[in-house]
């Protein structure tokens, strides 16, 4: 099990006052609690084993806005200045899923999805795959290098703008999916602070926009690692997203009793005095007597669509007696229920010319209100980039994807993070030891590099330039980014073309 010291995070850890997670199950060994140096840990279940992976969390002050900009560098790389430790709190380790994903079903891929047959009974592969396998046999060093590199892509501002394709994103994925001189798939996954939809719905949407297949096994949303929290809480308030999509997400993650703000407003409209609650909203709500129900935790899965109502309900719960509405705790610090945020970006690129405020802005407002009302800082846990829990989870996803496409379950040595947000994509990748590529198609619109969180591999006009530069570095400057049947197919090759023999 990995362990971390406070010094690993480059920021002093403040004493933890709250006992919010004292009720939560811990991993014990010989009668002593294991975990982070802060004293409390949440175990991450591993299929078939009792041990866990633990990711430490810390807390920072809300004295000014700078700590909310997601800067958590843990190193002294040149130019990495003014970076701070993680703003996570509770003195707890963050749980992330560790169970093995879908296993590799076959080493043979078929364009139609079905196994075709020959009279002899032996399965046949598409001609291009036969040719590609022959080419790869003759280019052993390049193939090894291609399997030892991987890309991690942010999505919004790198591959798409909302529902609009960034054209270079499609071409970059075509190359990585095999349209290159080796016909080989280069490992890549998608790591986004986007949220608010079930993973499959988002994957279907992206595949349509990008005109490229995306697998569930490649995809991480900001709240994907939060599925592990369903092991520890029964009744939870889920906030954010359009309609009831986040309730659907929580149900898929295994949460047993899910409450959304509309359920509470339908029970007591006076809780949100400025909300106009429609008959349609009331008919789809699930009101109960929440003065008799203990809500155990608050999960902000996505951006709030109604700041006033969501903030009012969250503040009521944070100051209540153990999460029971219509109560006010005598000691709101010790009785406060935990609150989790799926990510902390202040800004997010959209179709609008300038980036829009994201979940981080909502969190900053809550923290300021809480301190104004209680006089103390709000302890909270933040997932998403650049928090360490998300990168630990990304490692396991990359290993699994390597197993699926290359039957080799391991982590590639050279990982490239391509992002548009210096305050999350770049600082997180730098801190985790990845090669970072900053593109100018999203949040970053600056000069040669970001001043506070510079990309260590470089700044590029778009994702395609980043991918090509990284692949040339690993595979050689002469690497060709187009697959050419005429060059390698002996049935089509001309007299001056070196054909590859096919048995």
């Amino acid at each position: 099990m990995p362990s971390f010291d406070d010094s690993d995070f480059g920021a002093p850890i403040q004493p933890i006052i709250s006992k919010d997670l004292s009720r939560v199950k811990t991993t014990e060994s010989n009668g002593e609690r294991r975990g982070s140096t802060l004293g409390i840990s949440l175990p991450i279940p591993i299929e078939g084993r009792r041990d866990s992976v633990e990711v430490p969390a810390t807390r920072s002050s809300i004295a000014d806005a700078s700590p909310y900009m997601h800067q958590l560098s843990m190193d002294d790389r040149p130019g990495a200045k003014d970076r701070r430790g993680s703003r996570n709190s509770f003195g707890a380790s963050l749980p992330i899923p560790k169970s093995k994903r879908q296993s590799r079903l076959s080493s043979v891929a078929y364009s139609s999805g079905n196994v075709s047959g020959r009279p002899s009974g032996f399965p046949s592969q598409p001609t291009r795959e036969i040719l590609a396998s022959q080419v790869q046999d003759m280019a052993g060093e390049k193939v090894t290098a291609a399997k030892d590199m991987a890309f991690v892509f942010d999505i919004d501002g790198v591959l798409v703008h909302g529902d609009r394709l960034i054209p270079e994103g499609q071409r970059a994925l075509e190359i990585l999916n095999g349209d290159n001189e080796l016909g080989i798939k280069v490992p890549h996954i998608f790591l986004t602070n986007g949220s608010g939809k079930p993973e499959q719905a988002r994957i279907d949407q992206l595949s349509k926009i990008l005109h490229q297949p995306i697998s569930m096994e490649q995809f991480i949303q900001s709240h994907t690692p939060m599925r592990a929290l369903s092991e520890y809480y029964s009744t939870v308030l889920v906030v954010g997203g359009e309609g009831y999509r986040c309730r659907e997400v929580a149900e898929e993650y295994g949460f047993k009793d899910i409450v959304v703000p509309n359920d509470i407003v339908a029970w007591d409209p006076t809780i949100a005095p400025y909300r106009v609650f429609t008959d349609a909203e009331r008919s789809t709500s699930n009101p109960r007597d929440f003065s008799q129900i203990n809500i155990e935790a608050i999960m902000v899965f996505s951006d709030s669509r109604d700041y006033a109502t969501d903030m009012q309900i969250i503040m009521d719960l944070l100051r209540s007696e153990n999460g029971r509405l219509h109560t006010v705790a005598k000691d709101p610090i010790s009785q406060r229920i935990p609150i989790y945020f799926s990510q902390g970006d202040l800004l997010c690129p959209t179709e609008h010319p300038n980036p829009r405020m994201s979940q981080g802005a909502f969190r900053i407002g809550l923290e300021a209100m809480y301190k104004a009302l209680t006089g103390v800082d709000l302890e909270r846990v933040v997932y998403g980039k650049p928090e360490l829990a998300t990168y630990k989870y990304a490692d396991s996803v990359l290993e699994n994807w390597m197993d699926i496409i290359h039957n080799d379950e391991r982590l590639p040595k050279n990982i490239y993070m391509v992002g548009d947000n210096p305050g999350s994509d770049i600082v997180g990748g730098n801190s985790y030891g990845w090669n970072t590529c900053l593109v100018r198609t999203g949040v970053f619109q600056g000069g040669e590099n970001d001043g506070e969180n510079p990309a260590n591999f470089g700044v590029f006009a778009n994702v395609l330039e980043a991918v090509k530069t990284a692949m040339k570095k690993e595979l050689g400057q002469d690497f060709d980014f187009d697959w050419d049947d005429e060059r390698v197919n002996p049935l089509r090759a001309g007299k001056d073309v070196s054909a590859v023999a096919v048995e």
Side-chain angles (χ1 to χ4, degrees):
M1 176 189 303
S3 60
F4 303 87
D5 295 326
D6 295 348
S7 60
D8 292 334
F9 290 86
I13 306 300
Q14 299 183 14
I16 299 299
I17 300 174
S18 173
K19 300 178 181 178
D20 295 322
L21 296 188
S22 61
R23 314 190 283 278
V24 178
K25 295 180 289 185
T26 59
T27 303
E28 298 180 354
S29 177
N30 300 325
E32 296 181 358
R33 183 176 288 162
R34 296 185 292 158
S36 70
T37 55
L38 296 177
I40 301 176
S41 67
L42 291 180
I44 307 153
I46 302 179
E47 187 172 345
R49 292 163 51 186
R50 290 183 59 83
D51 55 348
S52 63
V53 177
E54 296 175 354
V55 183
T58 59
R59 181 181 67 186
S60 70
S61 171
I62 70 165
D64 55 57
S66 58
Y68 310 123
M69 296 301 291
H70 269 276
Q71 302 171 9
L72 59 71
S73 173
M74 298 175 284
D75 57 48
D76 297 318
R77 292 187 181 92
K81 56 185 179 179
D82 297 328
R83 297 188 185 162
R84 289 158 284 276
S86 165
R87 290 144 322 285
N88 276 329
S89 61
F90 295 135
S93 294
L94 304 190
I96 55 175
K98 196 60 180 174
S99 58
K100 184 170 178 61
R101 289 187 162 200
Q102 173 184 320
S103 63
R104 180 182 174 85
L105 298 179
S106 172
S107 61
V108 180
Y110 299 92
S111 59
S112 65
N114 298 316
V115 176
S116 58
R118 294 174 177 168
S120 63
F122 293 103
S124 62
Q125 290 178 305
T127 301
R128 173 166 165 169
E129 292 198 7
I130 295 176
L131 296 173
S133 66
Q134 297 287 332
V135 171
Q136 291 167 25
D137 286 344
M138 298 178 63
E141 290 186 6
K142 283 187 178 180
V143 170
T144 299
K147 291 181 179 180
D148 218 14
M149 71 180 300
F151 290 90
V152 181
F153 293 109
D154 180 41
I155 295 176
D156 292 303
V158 175
L159 301 172
V160 300
H161 285 139
D163 293 333
R164 181 164 52 88
L165 171 69
I166 297 175
E168 293 84 2
Q170 178 180 342
R171 179 60 192 141
L173 295 185
E174 288 173 350
I175 292 170
L176 299 181
N177 282 328
D179 190 8
N180 55 67
E181 71 171 62
L182 298 176
I184 193 171
K185 292 184 177 181
V186 178
H188 58 283
I189 65 171
F190 305 89
L191 180 61
T192 174
N193 273 357
S195 57
K197 292 182 178 180
E199 278 77 4
Q200 190 60 57
R202 181 63 167 147
I203 288 169
D204 293 343
Q205 178 190 31
L206 281 172
S207 297
K208 184 176 180 180
I209 296 172
L210 293 165
H211 305 288
Q212 289 294 298
I214 299 175
S215 168
M216 179 78 80
E217 313 305 313
Q218 293 174 278
F219 189 70
I220 307 171
Q221 293 191 102
S222 63
H223 47 57
T224 303
M226 293 174 70
R227 68 173 64 242
L229 294 171
S230 64
E231 298 290 326
Y232 306 103
Y233 303 109
S234 177
T235 302
V236 297
L237 175 71
V238 172
V239 177
E242 295 180 8
Y244 294 100
R245 301 302 295 274
C246 284
R247 192 203 291 271
E248 295 176 27
V249 173
E251 289 172 348
E252 288 191 5
Y253 289 177
F255 287 96
K256 303 298 188 299
D257 185 14
I258 302 156
V259 180
V260 298
N262 274 6
D263 299 336
I264 295 172
V265 177
W267 163 66
D268 179 8
T270 66
I271 205 165
Y274 308 115
R275 172 72 179 274
V276 177
F277 203 55
T278 67
D279 292 337
E281 289 172 322
R282 191 179 307 278
S283 66
T284 56
S285 300
N286 183 24
R288 290 173 276 168
D289 186 357
F290 291 103
S291 67
Q292 302 301 314
I293 296 172
N294 287 81
I295 294 175
E296 299 172 14
I298 302 166
M299 311 281 171
V300 183
F301 270 11
S302 187
D303 292 355
S304 168
R305 267 52 175 186
D306 183 351
Y307 271 42
T309 298
D310 291 347
M311 283 186 169
Q312 184 67 71
I313 291 173
I314 290 173
M315 289 302 300
D316 285 353
L317 285 172
L318 290 174
R319 299 170 64 221
S320 69
E321 290 186 354
N322 297 314
R324 185 167 291 198
L325 290 168
H326 285 190
T327 68
V328 177
K330 295 179 181 178
D331 182 4
I333 307 304
S334 65
Q335 292 183 285
R336 182 177 57 217
I337 64 174
I339 180 169
Y340 297 85
F341 295 86
S342 70
Q343 55 100 346
D345 284 350
L346 182 65
L347 299 174
C348 176
T350 67
E351 293 92 339
H352 193 273
N354 298 317
R356 302 289 83 191
M357 288 188 293
S358 187
Q359 192 180 137
F362 180 77
R363 176 175 55 84
I364 291 171
L366 276 174
E367 289 170 339
M369 288 184 206
Y370 187 84
K371 186 162 189 178
L373 290 170
T374 66
V376 298
D377 295 337
L378 174 64
E379 294 178 5
R380 66 279 186 277
V381 170
V382 184
Y383 282 81
K385 296 174 292 185
E387 304 299 341
L388 186 59
T390 293
Y391 291 84
K392 298 291 288 185
Y393 184 61
D395 275 352
S396 67
V397 171
L398 265 174
E399 289 175 350
N400 188 66
W401 187 241
M402 276 287 291
D403 186 35
I404 290 173
I405 65 173
H406 291 311
N407 200 23
D408 187 7
E409 188 176 7
R410 63 179 176 84
L411 196 64
K413 292 180 181 178
N414 305 302
I415 299 177
Y416 290 82
M417 174 78 216
V418 184
D420 68 299
N421 190 334
S424 60
D425 302 322
I426 302 307
V427 66
N430 285 348
S431 299
Y432 204 57
W434 290 350
N435 304 297
T436 50
C437 308
L438 183 59
V439 295
R440 292 191 174 94
T441 50
V443 170
F444 179 74
Q445 300 289 331
E448 294 185 1
N449 211 328
D450 185 69
E452 288 196 5
N453 304 303
N456 59 41
F457 187 68
V459 179
F460 303 90
N462 53 63
V463 63
L464 181 59
E465 292 303 313
V467 166
K468 284 185 173 182
T469 304
M471 292 184 71
K472 283 183 177 291
K473 176 180 182 296
E474 302 296 339
L475 306 179
Q477 292 298 314
D478 61 342
F479 189 78
D480 191 347
F481 298 103
D482 294 296
W483 171 263
D484 187 355
D485 274 344
E486 297 291 341
R487 184 184 61 199
V488 300
N489 191 336
L491 301 178
R492 299 181 182 178
K495 292 181 179 180
D496 298 329
V497 179
S498 297
V500 179
V502 180
E503 298 180 358

